[in-house]
Amino acid sequence: KQEVTQIPAALSVPEGENLVLNCSFTDSAIYNLQWFRQDPGKGLTSLLLIQSSQREQTSGRLNASLDKSSGRSTLYIAASQPGDSATYLCAPEGNQFYFGTGTSLTVIP
Amino acid sequence: EAGVAQSPRYKIIEKRQSVAFWCNPISGHATLYWYQQILGQGPKLLIQFQNNGVVDDSQLPKDRFSAERLKGVDSTLKIQPAKLEDSAVYLCASSLRLAGATDTQYFGPGTRLTVL
């Protein structure tokens, strides 16, 4: 069974800082990996999807990298804003999606 | 484009009672997922449908949980009888997921279940 670990569990940064969220997974036989955002009391919103053959994906201020062989992915957020405050979850997909427990991010104005 | 719809948004029941949740995916999406998210944890896949067939239900507690997707469109998840540990948010998601393709899942707002 896939085990997904996200570090740190919580992070608080001042507005404008660049930050990195980490995700590690135990089974490298994956098709892709997605990063999601979850706001309190709401469902998940997909941020980035990286195919297994890719090494990174970018969307605006977000950049996600994938090193399948080492079982790691990172989500880089540039110039953080208070609106980025949310929980960020990674989900590698093998025969099914397995989610990490997430990193709770607070961006302080 | 309308998103994934779920109802009810909140439900409170006594243990041993029954409850049902409804999900209407995005129009044209072949794949539908039900997840259980316990407070402080990531979502756990309960069941995945491709059209009206079950692709994966390996983590569905089949002694008390059941799900169906008649006509390959909307879906119902039922718990009968409920236990205290079923208290969680139940999330529905859908994706185009044509055969062999990889694409994004779109999530509904979830149903928050409290079992007393």
Side-chain angles (χ1 to χ4, degrees):
Chain A
K1 179 187 172 185
Q2 179 78 274
E3 299 288 339
V4 184
T5 303
Q6 291 190 244
I7 294 173
L11 182 62
S12 184
V13 300
E15 181 177 2
E17 261 199 20
N18 302 325
L19 57 101
V20 175
L21 307 181
N22 296 291
C23 170
S24 62
F25 47 95
T26 55
D27 186 352
S28 61
I30 62 171
Y31 301 120
N32 63 62
L33 183 143
Q34 291 194 47
W35 281 92
F36 292 86
R37 168 187 173 136
Q38 186 170 31
D39 293 280
K42 297 187 178 181
L44 281 69
T45 301
S46 179
L47 298 172
L48 290 164
L49 184 155
I50 313 175
Q51 305 272 7
S52 62
S53 58
Q54 299 174 318
R55 293 196 64 83
E56 66 178 72
Q57 277 284 351
T58 298
S59 176
R61 295 181 294 108
L62 305 180
N63 176 276
S65 67
L66 173 64
D67 184 342
K68 202 173 78 160
S69 61
S70 68
R72 296 179 188 276
S73 178
T74 61
L75 179 66
Y76 175 82
I77 303 177
S80 59
Q81 302 172 356
D84 295 331
S85 298
T87 296
Y88 291 81
L89 298 136
C90 73
E93 182 187 7
N95 57 347
Q96 64 168 259
F97 280 94
Y98 287 94
F99 283 83
T101 53
T103 293
S104 177
L105 172 65
T106 302
V107 180
I108 304 166
Chain B
E1 177 182 79
V4 177
Q6 289 189 248
S7 67
R9 291 295 313 277
Y10 305 92
K11 190 75 177 178
I12 301 174
I13 62 173
E14 302 277 339
K15 60 183 179 183
R16 292 187 289 274
Q17 285 188 324
S18 301
V19 65
F21 313 126
W22 175 82
C23 172
N24 190 22
I26 293 173
S27 177
H29 279 195
T31 305
L32 185 147
Y33 311 80
W34 282 104
Y35 291 89
Q36 178 192 59
Q37 186 174 25
I38 294 171
L39 187 64
Q41 299 182 17
K44 181 183 82 171
L45 180 69
L46 293 176
I47 189 167
Q48 176 183 343
F49 292 95
Q50 179 79 15
N51 297 309
N52 61 351
V54 175
V55 173
D56 186 343
D57 63 357
S58 58
Q59 298 192 96
L60 185 74
K62 298 180 186 64
D63 57 334
R64 299 184 299 106
F65 286 64
S66 64
E68 59 183 11
R69 189 183 185 198
L70 300 176
K71 300 180 182 178
V73 182
D74 55 354
S75 176
T76 302
L77 177 69
K78 296 180 181 177
I79 307 175
Q80 180 180 4
K83 293 185 175 181
L84 296 177
E85 58 261 37
D86 298 332
S87 293
V89 176
Y90 291 83
L91 295 164
C92 178
S94 70
S95 67
L96 275 173
R97 190 55 64 120
L98 301 176
T102 294
D103 61 1
T104 299
Q105 291 187 49
Y106 296 86
F107 282 78
T111 296
R112 181 175 298 276
L113 173 67
T114 302
V115 182
L116 302 175

